[in-house]
Structures are given as structure tokens and as C-alpha cells.
Amino acid sequence: AETPGAAFYVFDRCEPARPAPGPSLHVGAGAPQSGVRLVRFESPVAGRVLTWDRAHPALAVVSLDSVSLGEGAALEWDAGTPAASVARGEDGALMAAIDEGAQRRFVVAFGPDGSNWETDPSFPLFVQLVSEWLAPSSSGGGESHTTGEGVTIEGVGSEVVARGAGV
């Protein structure tokens, strides 16, 4: 399937080999094209979101204090990378925002299925707000594809196949 002119791209627990040709949301994965790496580790107890940046438009009215993490993960990047930590847990950054003009990226270290976030009222609000931040002029429409289904992203020049759970 082709995705010409997508408002933004979502990478759910998979990391693209090449940058998306527009803004992107990375969930449960890093954004290696922007220098943000996901680090996983064993965690004996469930982690929590301890702080978040309410000044960031994607988190301005989102409450993350009841979100608990069932997996150990954090985001890392080298000095000089244009990433800003917008949410932190005990082990480091849990969310990062990268604003390079038209190439905005938002990275979340954990997936909704690796936490209780998908059942928390803050999750759909976050999805709406991060969508508006990534693509402020989009019409709100979109399309989705399952893992294992090939998708050609305009400007990347090759087919992308995500391999994930259940494939």
C-alpha cells in the first residue's frame, strides 16, 4: 500500500531503517534517524512516570501520574542531538520531543501494552495532542496497516515491512 502525503507516520514497536519523509511518532521504539535510542533493561518493580513537561503542547493537559510501566526502558541520545526530554522516570527519559521544523518527532520509550496507559483517560488525550503537535495543519484523516503488511512510504524509495508481535 502507498502512503502519499501522510500527515505523520507512526512506528509502533519498530524502528525504521530510514527516516520517514515527514513528522513521526515512535512508540515502544527509538528514532535512530534522529539519534534517539531505546534502551531496555530488566526492572524488578514497575516503573512510573515521575515528571513530565506540561509546557510541551503534547503533554499540556495530560496527567501521567497514574501510569505504571511493566517494562524497563529509557531513551538515550548523544550531546548535540536536538532531542528534549519531556517525561522522565526513575531510570531516565521516557519521552522525547525532537523539533526540527517540518521534521518533528515524538518518541515514547514504552508501548501502551507495556503499561497501563492504554486504559488510562490520559492516553486518548495524548494521542489527540501529539497528533496536533506533529501535524498542526492535517485534516485528521489517516490510514493504518498491520505488522507484516508491506507499506511504501513516498520519498523513502523502498517497501517497509514491520515485524511485530503476532507476525
Side-chain angles (χ1 to χ4, degrees):
E2 296 229 3
T3 59
F8 66 93
Y9 302 85
V10 179
F11 297 95
D12 183 3
R13 292 166 289 173
C14 64
E15 294 181 345
R18 296 186 188 148
S24 56
L25 172 62
H26 304 258
V27 180
Q33 73 279 4
S34 295
V36 178
R37 299 174 301 281
L38 175 67
V39 178
R40 295 190 185 280
F41 49 87
E42 293 293 322
S43 181
V45 295
R48 302 194 70 76
V49 180
L50 299 177
T51 62
W52 60 97
D53 182 359
R54 291 183 186 265
H56 192 279
L59 300 173
V61 294
V62 174
S63 177
L64 299 173
D65 56 352
S66 63
V67 175
S68 61
L69 312 175
E71 57 189 18
L75 300 171
E76 294 180 346
W77 55 87
D78 297 328
T81 301
S85 175
V86 293
R88 296 189 62 79
E90 294 174 6
D91 296 307
L94 294 172
M95 296 181 187
I98 303 154
D99 190 351
E100 296 177 296
Q103 294 298 317
R104 287 180 169 176
R105 307 207 188 286
F106 200 96
V107 187
V108 181
F110 57 94
D113 60 337
S115 68
N116 68 341
W117 199 20
E118 65 184 353
T119 60
D120 192 89
S122 68
F123 184 67
L125 183 57
F126 165 76
V127 170
Q128 176 65 37
L129 293 173
V130 78
S131 298
E132 292 172 1
W133 182 74
L134 287 169
S137 62
S138 75
S139 63
E143 64 181 270
S144 64
H145 302 276
T146 62
T147 57
E149 180 182 353
V151 178
T152 302
I153 300 175
E154 186 178 298
V156 173
S158 64
E159 187 171 85
V160 177
V161 178
R163 304 279 182 220
V167 175

